[in-house]
Amino acid sequence: MKILITGSDGYVGWPLIITLAKKYNHKKVKIVGIDNLLRRRLVGKVRAHSAVKISSFDERKKFLKKLNKNVSMQKLDASDYKKINNLVKKYKFDYIINLAAQPSAPYSFLGINETNFTQNNNNQILRNFIWSINNNNLSKKCKLVHTTTTGVYGFPKIKIPEGFLKKGREKYPFGFMAGSWYHMSKCNDVNNLFLSNRVFKTQYHDFRTAIVIGLNYDAYDASDKLNYNTRFDYDYYFGVVVNRFISMALKKQDLTIYGKGLQKKPFISLNDCVKSLVNFINLKNAKKFEVYNQYTHMVSIKEISKLILKSKLVSKNVKFKNIKNPRIENETHKMRMENKNFTKILKSKAEPLRDTIFKTISLLKVNKAKFKTKFGK
Ligand SMILES: NC(=O)c1ccc[n+]([C@@H]2O[C@H](COP(=O)([O-])OP(=O)(O)OC[C@H]3O[C@@H](n4cnc5c(N)ncnc54)[C@H](O)[C@@H]3O)[C@@H](O)[C@H]2O)c1
């Protein structure tokens, strides 16, 4: 079996490739990771940093080889068709897990160049895989796993189905109400995936990933913290609000909730996110194409703030306060979303949010996390 992971140097990709390297330590399984270090560059460009120290790309390459000699990682730009096609032609992958993307909505709003870059990069990467699978006659063999986002659904009032709206026997791809240029790049992906299945018979598996939170304590070994750590961003551009609130709490600052903070959004722990992608490999009876709403909890930021404040490692003096909402949004919107397909893949019970928050805070402490970036723009 041959597996390609794109974006293997990223927040999700790094614990994923470590977990696969440990699970498939066998010469019959070849695992290839690729990344062009975009995330590291862009975080540097906005003058931010990961709160926990992570090893360099070269150190990570060496570390992977030590874990499993059938795993390799290389610097490669996935938006370059020739390079991708050569790789696909050489390995004839059974699975391509495509995580590579520019994933920040605020970054995609910086200006026309950032919007163009985000959409060109993200959409081109996916199109390259669709075409190279087709051009190498791999449609029957290769499963293309692609992480889009629950953000493609926007905030509708209906219960969100798992990827398709059904009318009688017909089903139509659903996911086009995004609220940012980045999220819109994933809407384009949704449509391109559906088209590729119709015209090229591409077997695709679209994971509509929710907001991923926490650190990778499952794929972790305290004897080698630096190499096991995945990144933890908490800045305005690359940190999700939960990470920002955790970092505020650890800096003994009050958590500032915009407005009422009661709108419910979908979340998943990094552990469950990785676990479900690992489970997908070798899944028996996988359909030719499918969508999975990859979330486990639908909660409000107010509920999450309360959990953060319950951690024994957070000072009792830290509180949360509701501040004037600078955004125009429905502050009490209760999103509802199906995830039947996804729970079948996750198999186990979802990790309780309380565990995700507490274990993450504890790992940040163990790693002496540093929070040097300002939270604002
Ligand atoms: N983390 C989340 O909360 C979340 C939520 C929804 C969807 N997703 C999606 O999941 C995937 C992984 O997200 P993440 O949080 O790990 O992001 P990340 O930025 O940490 O990882 C993506 C990796 O892809 C690499 N990359 C980008 N463009 C590339 C290119 N042209 N060639 C090669 N490598 C390239 C980056 O350097 C980075 O290491 C992304 O597709 C993202 O859109 C993530």
Side-chain angles (χ1 to χ4, degrees), residues 174-227:
F174 179 51
F176 37 74
M177 290 161 70
S180 84
W181 306 111
Y182 152 66
H183 288 96
M184 201 49 90
S185 76
K186 298 286 181 168
C187 298
N188 300 340
D189 284 348
V190 164
N191 289 324
N192 282 339
L193 283 170
F194 195 62
L195 175 67
S196 76
N197 176 267
R198 278 187 293 148
V199 297
F200 291 162
K201 306 282 177 253
T202 316
Q203 297 184 59
Y204 77 78
H205 296 269
D206 176 353
F207 280 71
R208 305 261 162 106
T209 309
I211 305 163
V212 189
I213 54 171
L215 283 169
N216 54 318
Y217 26 83
D218 269 5
Y220 199 75
D221 187 335
S223 64
D224 192 356
K225 289 196 208 89
L226 191 63
N227 280 321

Side-chain angles (χ1 to χ4, degrees), residues 81-127:
Y81 179 72
K82 259 194 189 160
K83 289 184 181 152
I84 286 304
N85 195 47
N86 286 341
L87 197 73
V88 171
K89 196 187 223 165
K90 178 173 171 195
Y91 287 100
K92 306 204 169 11
F93 296 105
D94 299 276
Y95 292 91
I96 293 173
I97 303 186
N98 183 31
L99 304 173
Q102 188 303 95
S104 160
Y107 183 84
S108 73
F109 265 109
L110 270 173
I112 178 66
N113 293 339
E114 288 78 7
T115 294
N116 281 344
F117 174 77
T118 301
Q119 295 202 347
N120 291 345
N121 183 62
N122 298 359
N123 297 148
Q124 196 151 325
I125 293 172
L126 178 67
R127 289 193 304 261

